[in-house]
Amino acid sequence: MIKTDILIIGAGPTGLFAVFEAGLLKLKCHILDALPQAGGQLSELYPKKPIYDIPGFPEVLAGDLVDNLQEQIKQFEPGYTLGERAETIEKQEDGSFIVTSNKGTKFHAPVIAIAGGLGSFEPRKPLIEDIEFYEDKGVKYFIKNPEKFRDKRVVIAGGGDSALDWSIFLSNIASEVTLIHRRNEFRGALDSVEKVQELKTSGKIKLITPAEVIGINGAEHIESLDIEENGAHRTIETDYFIPLFGLTPKLGPIADWGLDIEKNAIKVNNALDYQTNIPGIFAIGDVNTYPGKLKLILCGFHEATLMCQAAYQIINPGKKYVLKYTTVSGVDGFDGTRKEAPKAVVKAIV
């Protein structure tokens, strides 16, 4: 049983920043996320894309923002359970909760903060017969470790940024990269499209358009793919097939927790603290909804701040917390570190 003050479900930017705000209030946090690494969509979908609306950062790469947030909260020593999905929740007699993951790990906390972004992501799978049979035999919907494809033949299908970016990246790792798209036009960053054009011209990427994969062949592992190109059929040999058609967000098991749900989002009280209809359970970031909701990272930071103030009152009933600016109070980490502004020197001028 992992015990903590606040169990944060979701390791995206909102969930990570909540650790910092909780730490200022001397509250410990544990983060649970179904993805194998922290960062949520920023790490999973567009780590190399720039973000322009984070205060104080004219431009910051999504992956760098995740790294900075993790560095910022390191002093508050959050616990991490990654690669596990929140499955069930049980309310205890004292008002606290026990959450159990899909792998059986149990978490006990008086406050739950659901910061799951748009929910758990499931890949959009192409309508190809028997594709599920090959999912552990050469079909990959995510690229976790690019080295897995070193000196292998890889076919990527898709027309967006992910397909373009991974085609470019793997062109220096795989022995052969083939990019297939059902249209001649790609919807992605212009520099990525131009880079793929260069790699095609130099022979480092094979481009097949307009075309689509219609069949998979192989006994124990993928051996080849059936392609339909301009109405004609042909077969190409490959070791891996990576269809990158985007991800579908779903709340998953959280949708069965008795929370008020509206259009795949959790309704919260935005007039006060972003608490759900169940006392002690909050929803912050893209996963929640309320009148005037904006799905922006900076809005998630604001919601996390107010959520932590309310969590403090639940965990410390009747105890008053006096808000102080960090420029005045400094920041005391749970690891014994302290950050504070240099103290003014009192000295007479004669």
Side-chain angles (χ1 to χ4, degrees):
M1 182 81 72
I2 295 173
K3 295 187 177 183
T4 189
D5 292 323
I6 304 176
L7 175 64
I8 299 174
I9 300 174
T14 296
L16 293 175
F17 187 68
V19 175
F20 179 80
E21 289 297 320
L24 295 179
L25 300 170
K26 310 300 182 190
L27 301 178
K28 289 284 289 184
C29 294
H30 192 93
I31 300 174
L32 170 64
D33 198 294
L35 294 174
Q37 73 284 320
Q41 296 178 62
L42 275 64
S43 297
E44 192 70 19
L45 300 183
Y46 48 91
K48 298 301 182 184
K49 288 295 181 72
I51 302 173
Y52 300 103
D53 60 353
I54 302 299
F57 288 91
E59 177 182 330
V60 59
L61 294 181
D64 290 345
L65 178 60
V66 172
D67 292 341
N68 290 343
L69 285 165
Q70 289 192 282
E71 181 64 28
Q72 186 178 26
I73 66 175
K74 186 190 298 183
Q75 60 193 319
F76 294 122
E77 300 180 324
Y80 289 90
T81 299
L82 302 175
E84 297 188 30
R85 183 184 65 232
E87 198 78 16
T88 63
I89 189 168
E90 302 170 73
K91 191 161 188 175
Q92 307 302 295
E93 290 185 5
D94 62 357
S96 63
F97 304 91
I98 291 180
V99 172
T100 304
S101 79
N102 62 317
K103 295 187 178 178
T105 308
K106 293 185 179 293
F107 309 86
H108 186 200
V111 171
I112 307 294
I114 302 172
L118 297 174
S120 59
F121 289 96
E122 296 182 6
R124 291 193 178 98
K125 302 179 181 181
L127 299 176
I128 300 174
E129 187 177 356
D130 296 330
I131 192 168
E132 288 81 8
F133 172 78
Y134 291 99
E135 285 175 355
D136 292 322
K137 302 177 177 69
V139 170
K140 301 291 181 184
Y141 300 109
F142 303 100
I143 299 177
K144 305 297 183 188
N145 178 17
E147 282 297 316
K148 185 181 185 72
F149 306 102
R150 182 164 294 281
D151 300 325
K152 302 294 184 181
R153 297 167 299 179
V154 177
V155 172
I156 295 175
D161 284 317
S162 293
L164 292 165
D165 292 346
W166 281 118
S167 295
I168 295 167
F169 190 91
L170 292 179
S171 67
N172 293 316
I173 294 176
S175 62
E176 181 180 290
V177 174
T178 302
L179 176 59
I180 297 175
H181 183 39
R182 59 185 178 178
R183 298 186 183 91
N184 291 319
E185 300 79 23
F186 288 84
R187 295 178 63 88
L190 180 60
D191 61 333
S192 297
V193 176
E194 292 176 346
K195 182 65 175 177
V196 167
Q197 179 65 57
E198 292 174 11
L199 291 170
K200 178 201 171 189
T201 303
S202 64
K204 296 201 69 176
I205 288 179
K206 294 181 179 180
L207 188 63
I208 305 177
T209 62
E212 60 181 316
V213 178
I214 58 173
I216 305 174
N217 310 301
E220 299 301 321
H221 196 277
I222 285 181
E223 296 175 6
S224 64
L225 299 172
D226 294 328
I227 309 295
E228 182 176 326
E229 181 184 5
N230 290 319
H233 290 195
R234 66 181 173 115
T235 299
I236 60 173
E237 294 182 348
T238 190
D239 300 305
Y240 287 97
F241 174 43
I242 308 172
L244 298 174
F245 298 141
L247 302 172
T248 301
K250 293 185 178 179
L251 278 178
I254 290 175
D256 300 322
W257 286 8
L259 300 165
D260 282 345
I261 307 292
E262 182 179 286
K263 295 181 180 178
N264 206 43
I266 302 170
K267 294 177 70 174
V268 295
N269 173 10
N270 68 305
L272 189 60
D273 52 18
Y274 304 97
Q275 198 158 191
T276 69
N277 59 303
I278 301 177
I281 301 182
F282 299 79
I284 53 177
D286 287 357
V287 77
N288 74 16
T289 185
Y290 52 83
K293 169 69 179 181
L294 294 177
K295 292 183 182 294
L296 297 172
I297 294 173
L298 59 93
C299 294
F301 291 165
H302 164 77
E303 294 165 10
T305 304
L306 296 189
M307 178 277 295
C308 288
Q309 295 290 321
Y312 181 87
Q313 294 302 322
I314 292 174
I315 297 168
N316 302 288
K319 189 174 180 181
K320 188 176 181 181
Y321 172 75
V322 179
L323 176 67
K324 292 183 180 178
Y325 302 117
T326 55
T327 51
V328 176
S329 64
V331 178
D332 291 304
F334 297 158
D335 57 1
T337 60
R338 176 166 176 76
K339 295 179 180 178
E340 61 181 333
K343 294 224 172 9
V345 177
V346 178
K347 185 177 181 181
I349 298 177
V350 295

